[in-house]
Amino acid sequence: MEQEKPLGPMLGRAAHLARERLDARLSQYDVTPVQTHLLLHLNQCGGQAPQCDLTEFLKVKPSTANGILDRMAEKELIVRSVSGQDARRKLITLTDKGRQ
């Protein structure tokens, strides 16, 4: 009788291979999976959203979201602006490059 292989290690290997392929495909666009996820979300929100909403969407600490958005701004994928009268509240907007 042939012994069955455990499912856990096979699923782990499949996830690892899928992640490697995703990273390779995204590297040609100079974006990370998290940045891609955020770009798609912003696009679904009409191209802009408050930074606090994006932090909640990513389910990360504000400092982590800030770092992700800093790198995206450096790549000219997004721009930050003041949202309304409150200078502490930032509005994140996709650029043309970010939409592509």
Side-chain angles (χ1 to χ4, degrees), residues 51-72:
Q51 183 168 332
C52 58
D53 290 358
L54 298 178
T55 300
E56 186 176 317
F57 170 73
L58 292 173
K59 297 181 180 8
V60 295
K61 295 178 182 178
S63 59
T64 301
N66 202 41
I68 293 167
L69 294 169
D70 283 346
R71 287 185 291 285
M72 292 176 73

Side-chain angles (χ1 to χ4, degrees), residues 15-31:
H16 177 75
L17 290 172
R19 178 65 184 236
E20 278 184 347
R21 289 195 174 113
L22 176 64
D23 287 346
R25 291 189 76 183
L26 292 177
S27 69
Q28 66 183 331
Y29 300 106
D30 191 30
V31 292

